Amino acid sequence: MLQDQVALITGAGGGIGQAIAHALADAGANVVINDVVEDAARKVADEVEERGVNSLIHTANITDELQVISMVDEVMETFGRVDILVNNAGITRDGLLVRMDEAQWDLVLAVNLKGAFLCTKAVARPMMKARYGRIINMASVSGVGGNAGQANYSASKGGLIALTKTTAQELAGRNITCNALAPGFIETAMTHQLPEEMRNAWLNRIPLGRAGTAEDVAQGALFLAGPGASYITGQVINIDGGLIM
């Protein structure tokens, strides 16, 4: 389905990013693994190559424009193309609004929103030249409905949704789509650390009665990256078991 295409995935050293790397590789795409933790990136790259495709590791800090430009230049030098961008890298620094300091706000907005902007800007030119591209942004249900204790995270994901729609409008004429996925409560290393009482409170709000998996989100990314989504752009797809229907 994605034979010989090239996918750049940020924050791909584990969790949802790792699952997306596996799914796109299984569909035939060569995968560029971006993560600031080189050992984690190398592990995922090995897993990708076991699937019979090529990989490239890059540890660019996506909040630094020069590093992002260098990363995309290396992708183009290595593969000659970039077809898919998955802006997956994200962090949390949770706290109540009145207790949140400026550094917590700035860091989350830098990684989650500025990073996506810089990566999108860097891949836009080669995609426009090729007259083809698929950009997938990892938003969150917190960016759709807000979430107490996550003013910074919710703002970054809400901003990412707005960036998705603007990017879709600006690049549609060059056959480039841009969509967002908004995961709900997903089983990751981060959610495993939550107190049992908090986990149960989340699960009780989910109509399907279970947490999602990284693979559930990866299947959404695979669909948006593939030919079946060629007429979908500027949309936000909630992958949340019905949490905020």
Side-chain angles (χ1 to χ4, degrees):
M1 183 172 73
L2 302 176
Q3 201 67 36
D4 298 325
Q5 292 193 27
V6 175
L8 167 57
I9 307 171
T10 67
I16 291 172
Q18 178 183 27
I20 293 173
H22 290 171
L24 299 188
D26 285 339
N30 301 308
V31 183
V32 182
I33 309 296
N34 163 257
D35 202 284
V36 293
V37 181
E38 185 172 359
D39 288 346
R42 193 166 302 282
K43 177 178 180 295
V44 176
D46 290 342
E47 294 165 354
V48 161
E49 292 188 356
E50 288 171 1
R51 289 163 159 80
V53 297
N54 297 314
S55 71
L56 177 68
I57 296 169
H58 209 293
T59 58
N61 176 350
I62 61 167
T63 69
D64 184 315
E65 184 169 25
L66 293 180
Q67 291 190 42
V68 170
I69 292 171
S70 175
M71 174 173 67
V72 174
D73 284 348
E74 185 175 344
V75 173
M76 294 301 295
E77 288 169 7
T78 304
F79 295 108
R81 59 193 290 179
V82 55
D83 305 280
I84 302 160
L85 169 66
V86 183
N87 284 310
N88 171 75
I91 62 169
T92 58
R93 293 294 185 273
D94 295 349
L96 294 175
L97 176 67
V98 295
R99 297 176 183 169
M100 185 175 293
D101 61 39
E102 189 175 2
Q104 290 173 299
W105 174 272
D106 287 347
L107 181 60
V108 171
L109 268 290
V111 175
N112 297 4
L113 185 53
K114 179 184 176 183
F117 158 70
L118 292 176
C119 290
T120 299
K121 181 181 176 183
V123 303
R125 288 191 184 279
M127 284 184 175
M128 290 170 70
K129 186 175 181 180
R131 301 191 70 85
Y132 180 86
R134 298 286 182 264
I135 299 171
I136 302 164
N137 293 328
M138 197 59 60
S140 167
V141 294
S142 295
V144 178
N147 192 34
Q150 289 192 316
N152 49 4
Y153 184 78
S154 298
S156 72
K157 296 302 186 177
L160 189 57
I161 289 170
L163 176 63
T164 297
K165 294 175 182 293
T166 298
T167 303
Q169 291 176 21
E170 291 191 7
L171 300 183
R174 296 299 182 96
N175 193 34
I176 300 167
T177 66
C178 183
N179 294 285
L181 298 174
F185 190 82
I186 306 297
E187 292 285 6
T188 63
M190 183 172 66
T191 57
H192 286 163
Q193 297 173 5
L194 293 175
E196 191 67 23
E197 182 178 339
M198 187 177 293
R199 282 178 56 85
N200 289 336
W202 272 101
L203 292 172
N204 288 336
R205 293 169 55 194
I206 301 172
L208 284 182
R210 67 170 179 88
T213 66
E215 288 71 27
D216 290 327
V217 183
Q219 288 302 307
L222 177 62
F223 168 67
L224 290 175
S230 64
Y231 199 56
I232 299 172
T233 195
Q235 303 305 306
V236 182
I237 299 176
N238 298 330
I239 302 180
D240 64 355
L243 178 63
I244 60 166
M245 69 169 71

